[in-house]
Amino acid sequence: MAASEKTGESRVKIEIRDVSFDYVDRKSTFAALEHINLEIREGEFLCVLGSSGCGKSTLLSLLNGLNRPKSGEILIDGKPVKGPGTDRAVVFQQYSLFPWLTVKGNILFAIRQSGRKYTRKERNEKAEDYLRGVELLAARDKYPGQLSGGMKQRVAVARALALESDVLLLDEPFAAIDPKLRLELQELVSSLCAKEKKTVVFITHDIDEAILLGDRIIVMEPGRIRTETDVDLPHPRKRDDLIGTEAYEKLHRKLIAGFYTQIQEDIDTEVSL
Amino acid sequence: MKRLLLDRKMYVEFALAAVLFAANVLLALFMPYLTEHKRYYDSGAYIVMLSLAFALYTAGVHVTRKKSASDIAVVLFLFLMVWELAYKFGAVQNDLLVPSPEGLFHVFVEKPEEIWQDVLGSLQLLFWGFFLAILFGTFLGLLAGWIPRVREVLLPISNVITLIPPLMFSAYLIMVLATFREAAIAVIFFAVFWPTFQGMVARVSQIDKAVIEAARTMGVGTVGMLFKVILPYCLPGIIKSISKSLRGAFMCLTGAEMLGINLGIGYFIEKYKSFADYRCVLAGIVTVGVITTVIDIAVNKAERAMIRWEA
Ligand SMILES: Nc1ncnc2c1ncn2[C@@H]1O[C@H](COP(=O)(O)OP(=O)(O)OP(=O)(O)O)[C@@H](O)[C@H]1O
Ligand SMILES: [Mg+2]
């Protein structure tokens, strides 16, 4: 009952009110999101599932402020989002590291941007701590061009953490990382966010990952939120303890079912076209 | 057995170059002139030059280990040998237009002070014109590339102006500006400024959008975006374009000097052309060649040292 206990005490951090968004180019408009409503509480870990192309990254781009809603509004701490800001850290699906800076340079850049008054020594120590956390301390002097996909992704995660923001927006941050390291990183992010009461929106394709990390899981279908599911499992969760338990199986089946009906509908509409 | 510094095969080529070098020295020292009308010059300067070239080649082939170094040396020594033989056998009809190699390099002994001053003068003009053009071109290109309003004003202007070869309005610049020095700097400036500007605008517009977005989500503002993100991102491209513009600048410089600026190595060439002293003209041309090569090598070295990442 951990998650619902939280519900009672914590306030709303992010509010998405009737938000729609179109991708517009010269010839056509594409309605990527339609009338989305969502509230995310302070300190909540929200996982977003959904088939490829259903608008998860688009939703994140509205939250981070790079795109503006066509209609509706997004409030953070009650104030409308007017653009990007250091109160929200982002890990992009395509990493987007700065190629001219070393791995450590990338982290230091974020620490400087955080606007916190650290001495040079503190900044150095912090950067190395974050890199140690994602097991990349040895690669600190490499350039992004010299890293593997999974390494780049870890740098991106470390860089987002280094911004020390209240809100973390993560777009499939562990997609390219091997299973063992992924477990470690899940634990790192999970414990760090719990400790510092970060509000997290975490996009993933991995149902297990969503159950392991999320206080709540939403499943999207193209343009809409299909289902919302609270995860009432106590923290900290251990993957090995979870898998096989009844509660876990029930959740898993429910989420999978959400996907299946959606896929079924997709096929139906394609056939009828 | 002691290990060789180079492959065995490269030493064969090295030996060939060395033999050609020695043959050139012997020809210069001992071969008599077989024609009647000829000019004697002391062969000292020529032999010093030959030795210098050989020393450079020896060092170069051991450092770079490139086969092409040997090829270049062989071609150079063969060329000089043919020239020397042709001259001494009397195949050259016009002594005035085609001097002997000894005669050409003797110029450097006759007027070292004059050549040195002219080279120094050229380099100063080059430095100021070039330096200012790169500085302003990059800065304005950065602004125009990032801020649409600036771009819409500056880009059409630059598109028209770059169609006119810079040497065409340099005659006018020389009349307008107070001193030859300023005029020459202005000519080089305009020759380098516009291409630099346009290159920078193009580079900024091709920048990876994801990088810009990442910077924006980290709260980077306009000034930070220009100098902490875009400029470092474009730096390899800027440095690469510098060596290219440098060649253009040098061509413009010698051109401008020939148009009537009384200083610099281009002026040196022009002056001796009007005296019909083609020996000095050729010496001037050789000097220009050597200087451009040296600058080119230096810039390439700096380029490799400064670019530690590739996009
Ligand atoms: N820049 C764009 N211009 C036009 N359409 C776009 C653009 N970006 C995304 N789309 C469209 O919007 C829809 C949602 O894209 P989005 O990237 O949000 O999907 P996603 O849920 O993140 O998918 P994935 O899981 O594959 O990352 C897709 O149908 C895509 O074709
Ligand atoms: Mg996506």
Side-chain angles (χ1 to χ4, degrees):
Chain A
M1 293 294 112
S4 35
E5 269 166 30
K6 261 190 199 166
T7 320
E9 55 192 60
S10 45
R11 63 194 182 86
V12 172
K13 180 78 179 175
I14 304 174
E15 204 177 343
I16 302 173
R17 277 198 203 145
D18 197 34
V19 162
S20 300
F21 181 77
D22 291 350
Y23 282 110
V24 183
D25 62 27
R26 254 172 256 136
K27 287 196 210 99
S28 61
T29 59
F30 175 79
L33 295 174
E34 291 174 289
H35 305 290
I36 301 277
N37 281 290
L38 190 65
E39 283 185 355
I40 306 165
R41 293 179 302 277
E42 184 161 45
E44 184 176 5
F45 202 117
L46 178 83
C47 288
V48 181
L49 288 169
S51 53
S52 183
C54 70
K56 304 181 296 295
S57 298
T58 307
L59 182 64
L60 211 73
S61 77
L62 296 173
L63 287 171
N64 68 36
L66 288 173
N67 280 324
R68 312 293 295 275
K70 178 187 74 166
S71 63
E73 60 179 349
I74 295 177
L75 306 173
I76 291 183
D77 291 328
K79 288 188 284 287
V81 170
K82 292 215 181 75
T86 47
D87 56 334
R88 286 150 287 152
V90 188
V91 174
F92 290 95
Q93 201 167 2
Q94 68 280 15
Y95 321 145
S96 322
L97 300 175
F98 294 152
W100 66 93
L101 294 175
T102 59
V103 165
K104 191 171 166 190
N106 269 278
I107 312 296
L108 284 171
F109 190 100
I111 296 177
R112 278 195 209 95
Q113 284 305 124
S114 75
R116 281 161 222 264
K117 304 249 177 296
Y118 294 130
T119 63
R120 171 194 284 270
K121 192 161 155 266
E122 284 170 330
R123 282 200 298 267
N124 261 309
E125 280 165 7
K126 285 210 166 270
E128 301 207 339
D129 284 345
Y130 286 118
L131 285 176
R132 205 171 290 122
V134 296
E135 297 196 1
L136 274 181
L137 194 59
R140 65 184 156 217
D141 293 326
K142 289 195 172 173
Y143 287 87
Q146 304 167 317
L147 302 180
S148 73
M151 289 162 97
K152 283 184 202 159
Q153 206 163 24
R154 275 138 68 196
V155 179
V157 171
R159 184 176 70 172
L161 296 176
L163 204 59
E164 299 191 350
S165 56
D166 297 346
V167 178
L168 265 183
L169 307 170
L170 311 173
D171 200 342
E172 297 181 36
F174 304 144
I177 294 169
D178 70 78
K180 180 174 162 287
L181 190 57
R182 180 194 288 228
L183 272 178
E184 289 170 21
L185 289 181
Q186 284 166 345
E187 232 162 73
L188 172 83
V189 168
S190 173
S191 62
L192 195 107
C193 292
K195 197 175 78 197
E196 298 183 4
K197 285 235 167 220
K198 284 182 193 286
T199 309
V200 188
V201 178
F202 189 105
I203 296 175
T204 176
H205 280 298
D206 182 342
I207 296 181
D208 287 341
E209 185 170 67
I211 297 175
L212 190 71
L213 295 173
D215 296 321
R216 187 160 49 124
I217 300 170
I218 62 173
V219 178
M220 288 182 67
E221 61 185 22
R224 270 187 295 272
I225 293 172
R226 183 181 180 84
T227 60
E228 285 185 30
T229 312
D230 283 329
V231 184
D232 291 331
L233 296 169
H235 283 282
R237 300 170 191 158
K238 279 259 182 284
R239 188 192 172 84
D240 294 339
D241 303 341
L242 271 182
I243 290 181
T245 63
E246 199 188 331
Y248 170 84
E249 291 298 335
K250 235 173 88 184
L251 264 173
H252 201 274
R253 239 175 295 140
K254 191 176 164 195
L255 292 167
I256 285 274
F259 269 97
Y260 266 116
T261 42
Q262 179 192 328
I263 292 163
Q264 200 56 52
E265 275 169 19
D266 288 350
I267 293 167
D268 289 347
T269 48
E270 256 167 50
V271 168
S272 66
L273 281 176
Chain B
M1 203 179 97
K2 238 182 85 181
R3 214 170 60 83
L4 293 174
L5 279 169
L6 301 173
D7 292 347
R8 190 177 298 267
K9 217 171 138 240
M10 286 182 83
Y11 270 116
V12 175
E13 286 158 5
F14 181 72
L16 178 62
V19 165
L20 283 171
F21 160 69
N24 267 311
V25 173
L26 292 177
L27 281 177
L29 281 175
F30 298 118
M31 184 177 171
Y33 289 82
L34 301 174
T35 41
E36 283 175 14
H37 56 277
K38 66 257 161 185
R39 292 145 185 255
Y40 294 103
Y41 288 101
D42 182 42
S43 53
Y46 177 50
I47 289 173
V48 167
M49 190 287 299
L50 279 173
S51 313
L52 215 64
F54 186 68
L56 270 178
Y57 154 67
T58 308
V61 79
H62 282 86
V63 172
T64 63
R65 288 156 192 270
K66 274 193 191 143
K67 289 209 184 76
S68 56
S70 298
D71 297 343
I72 293 168
V74 167
V75 168
L76 175 74
F77 287 133
L78 270 179
F79 170 76
L80 289 171
M81 188 185 265
V82 170
W83 182 5
E84 172 94 41
L85 286 173
Y87 191 89
K88 287 194 169 171
F89 273 111
V92 173
Q93 297 302 319
N94 191 337
D95 246 14
L96 203 67
L97 278 176
V98 184
S100 60
E102 285 97 334
L104 195 160
F105 290 101
H106 199 255
V107 174
F108 295 108
V109 185
E110 288 162 36
K111 10 179 133 26
E113 187 61 19
E114 190 182 345
I115 293 178
W116 176 243
Q117 286 306 326
D118 280 332
V119 165
L120 222 59
S122 281
L123 287 180
Q124 273 171 13
L125 298 181
L126 186 71
F127 175 77
W128 284 113
F130 186 73
F131 182 73
L132 291 176
I134 293 284
L135 205 71
F136 281 97
T138 303
F139 180 71
L140 284 177
L142 186 64
L143 288 183
W146 186 240
I147 304 166
R149 254 180 99 172
V150 181
R151 176 169 56 242
E152 276 152 30
V153 174
L154 287 180
L155 210 54
I157 299 178
S158 84
N159 281 339
V160 172
I161 290 184
T162 43
L163 289 177
I164 310 166
L167 274 177
M168 272 171 82
F169 49 79
S170 54
Y172 176 68
L173 280 176
I174 291 166
M175 307 288 289
V176 170
L177 288 167
T179 66
F180 283 142
R181 217 180 117 78
E182 284 167 19
I185 290 175
V187 171
I188 298 166
F189 179 87
F190 286 113
V192 175
F193 172 80
W194 291 111
T196 306
F197 170 80
Q198 288 188 331
M200 191 64 199
V201 171
R203 237 169 269 129
V204 174
S205 68
Q206 282 159 12
I207 198 164
D208 184 2
K209 221 178 106 223
V211 166
I212 299 289
E213 290 186 343
R216 284 182 61 201
T217 60
M218 285 192 273
V220 177
T222 304
V223 176
M225 196 63 91
L226 287 172
F227 296 103
K228 284 200 284 188
V229 177
I230 300 175
L231 192 61
Y233 189 94
C234 294
L235 202 61
I238 297 169
I239 294 172
K240 273 186 196 149
S241 77
I242 283 182
S243 66
K244 220 172 65 193
S245 342
L246 200 56
R247 273 174 220 192
F250 213 88
M251 265 159 69
C252 250
L253 170 68
T254 36
E257 288 170 346
M258 286 182 179
L259 280 175
I261 288 162
N262 61 0
L263 144 125
I265 198 71
Y267 168 70
F268 179 93
I269 294 171
E270 188 59 22
K271 185 172 69 186
Y272 286 102
K273 197 180 91 191
S274 50
F275 295 169
D277 189 343
Y278 296 105
R279 210 165 49 92
C280 290
V281 170
L282 281 176
I285 291 172
V286 168
T287 310
V288 171
V290 169
I291 290 172
T292 15
T293 312
V294 168
I295 292 179
D296 216 50
I297 291 171
V299 169
N300 278 326
K301 277 253 159 12
E303 188 182 311
R304 242 168 288 149
M306 282 178 73
I307 303 177
R308 274 163 300 168
W309 66 280
E310 285 294 338

